[in-house]
Amino acid sequence: MDVITLHSRDVPAEHRFEWWCDLISRDVAPTRISTDHVTDFHAAAGAVDLGPVQLSALSFPPLRSTRTPALIRRSDPEVYELALIMGSEMWISQARSATRMRAGDLVLWETSHPFDGRGLGGNDQSRAIILHLPRATLPLPATRVDLLLAQAMPARSGMGAILARYLRSVLREAPTLDRADADRLGRTAWDLAAAFLAHRLGVQDRLPVESRRQALLARIDTFIDHHLSDSGLTPPAVAARHHISVRSLHMLFQQRGEGVAARIRRRRLEHCRADLADPLQRTLPIRAVAARYGFASAADFARAFRAAYGMPPSEYRRAALDAATAPGDNRTCAVR
């Protein structure tokens, strides 16, 4: 699908800051912006339409962004903005709360109340991925959600980490998506964001059943990926860790068309295949690669790999490494 990507380098230098102000006011919400970098303003913006939600990626120099009552009266899209901070530190104030955010934090603000935001990076770029959530669609009391405004919410573990990883992966893979894929991923992004906010507020019971199901599946997927090296990673172990019955676990996965054991095996094989193709790991024995991801038997691994990819792991590694070092394929990075 189309991913809209805009960069200040495509605009004459003297018009770049004006271009950025117009872009943010038009595509996000009318905002007053000021900066000390008017004459050297370097910024970029990307946008992906995910159906029920929109996803943006912004990169910009230190600046101040304020939304006043007058600007709200001019235009209000009535949207919650849930941002994952990726670059230098930022600061925001809204609804009698203020917080300083660093890379790895999530922060929520909304367009219907005044706010004051600042990039604090000195000469470094501020970067963020922003999920735009229509206020009217969020099944949580607005008075409760507003308690989370301008609060730094770490996204390094739990539901925050799951949501952050999902947003990064969707943004990375967006160019390969078709319209139906984008809509499905948008619904999942909405489910995960709603589950994250509900968890922060302790009101998970307010979420629709489908949102709770998607959030549980996301937690299970993350648990599986983090424990692939454990040979004891089985459906009963997964079910016990998430306090559900094995039958309930199988029913969850049945709806997505892939069994629990099948997903565990597929993810193990995918990681093994990536390591076998890595030139930096060419001297690592294949049996060690297999053991790293929970295959107790080298013979079992070889059979599973051949069934999945149509060739033995040794043959795959040889072909992948030969391709990586083929003449004309320059993989040297210059330090600038």
Side-chain angles (χ1 to χ4, degrees):
M1 65 171 297
D2 291 336
V3 179
I4 300 172
T5 304
L6 303 171
H7 200 288
S8 61
R9 63 171 173 258
D10 299 322
V11 179
E14 65 272 20
H15 299 308
R16 288 173 181 170
F17 179 62
E18 180 184 353
W19 162 80
W20 182 259
C21 294
D22 180 67
L23 175 70
I24 297 301
S25 290
R26 184 181 67 249
D27 294 348
V28 181
T31 308
R32 180 181 299 149
I33 302 174
S34 59
T35 183
D36 293 332
H37 296 265
V38 173
T39 58
D40 60 340
F41 197 84
H42 300 284
V48 184
D49 180 2
L50 297 176
V53 296
Q54 308 297 306
L55 191 63
S56 300
L58 303 180
S59 174
F60 48 89
L63 53 75
R64 181 174 183 179
S65 177
T66 57
R67 185 155 161 80
T68 65
L71 292 174
I72 293 170
R73 288 193 297 271
R74 181 195 304 176
S75 176
D76 183 13
E78 299 184 354
V79 170
Y80 284 115
E81 310 283 11
L82 183 59
L84 172 64
I85 307 304
M86 303 282 286
S88 62
E89 290 188 345
M90 301 175 68
W91 177 91
I92 191 168
S93 172
Q94 187 174 57
R96 298 185 299 280
S97 182
T99 190
R100 190 180 185 115
M101 303 90 69
R102 59 191 179 96
D105 286 343
L106 284 160
V107 65
L108 183 74
W109 71 92
E110 53 99 359
T111 63
S112 300
H113 290 87
F115 66 74
D116 185 359
R118 307 178 193 186
L120 304 175
N123 291 321
D124 296 329
Q125 292 284 102
S126 296
R127 294 188 296 119
I129 298 174
I130 304 176
L131 186 66
H132 309 277
L133 298 163
R135 286 176 59 96
T137 69
L138 203 62
L140 301 172
T143 53
R144 297 294 302 277
V145 177
D146 286 353
L147 297 175
L148 299 177
L149 297 176
Q151 298 286 336
M153 299 176 283
R156 299 167 188 86
S157 61
M159 279 302 302
I162 291 170
L163 175 60
R165 186 171 70 167
Y166 184 82
L167 296 179
R168 287 192 293 264
S169 66
V170 170
L171 195 63
R172 183 175 60 250
E173 301 299 331
T176 69
L177 304 177
D178 59 26
R179 183 68 264 164
D181 288 335
D183 288 344
R184 282 193 295 270
L185 293 176
R187 288 192 293 271
T188 300
W190 186 93
D191 287 331
L192 294 180
F196 170 72
L197 297 175
H199 176 75
R200 296 287 304 188
L201 293 169
V203 293
Q204 295 92 322
D205 58 329
R206 297 290 190 100
L207 294 175
V209 172
E210 178 60 19
S211 295
R212 294 200 295 269
R213 188 183 78 86
Q214 289 292 343
L216 177 57
L217 275 170
R219 290 200 302 272
I220 291 171
D221 287 344
T222 300
F223 175 80
I224 288 173
D225 282 352
H226 286 174
H227 293 82
L228 293 175
S229 63
D230 183 359
S231 59
L233 183 65
T234 61
V238 174
R241 176 63 178 79
H242 292 86
H243 310 292
I244 59 176
S245 68
V246 175
R247 180 174 180 274
S248 296
L249 178 66
H250 285 307
M251 289 180 64
L252 270 174
F253 274 73
Q254 187 177 33
Q255 296 178 48
R256 62 159 46 162
E258 181 182 47
V260 188
R263 180 176 180 84
I264 292 172
R265 173 160 289 209
R266 175 173 64 81
R267 293 296 290 150
R268 282 174 167 161
L269 288 170
E270 287 172 350
H271 280 270
C272 288
R273 182 175 65 165
D275 285 2
L276 291 173
D278 183 359
L280 297 178
Q281 303 188 55
R282 64 169 65 242
T283 61
L284 186 66
I286 290 176
R287 65 178 180 278
V289 173
R292 175 186 286 169
Y293 296 108
F295 286 98
S297 164
D300 286 346
F301 168 64
R303 282 193 295 270
F305 194 95
R306 180 191 285 270
Y309 303 117
M311 64 179 70
S314 57
E315 183 179 335
Y316 175 82
R317 169 181 259 183
R318 185 165 51 252
L321 295 179
D322 285 347
T325 57
D329 183 8
N330 186 351
R331 293 177 178 263
T332 301
C333 296
V335 178
R336 303 189 180 202

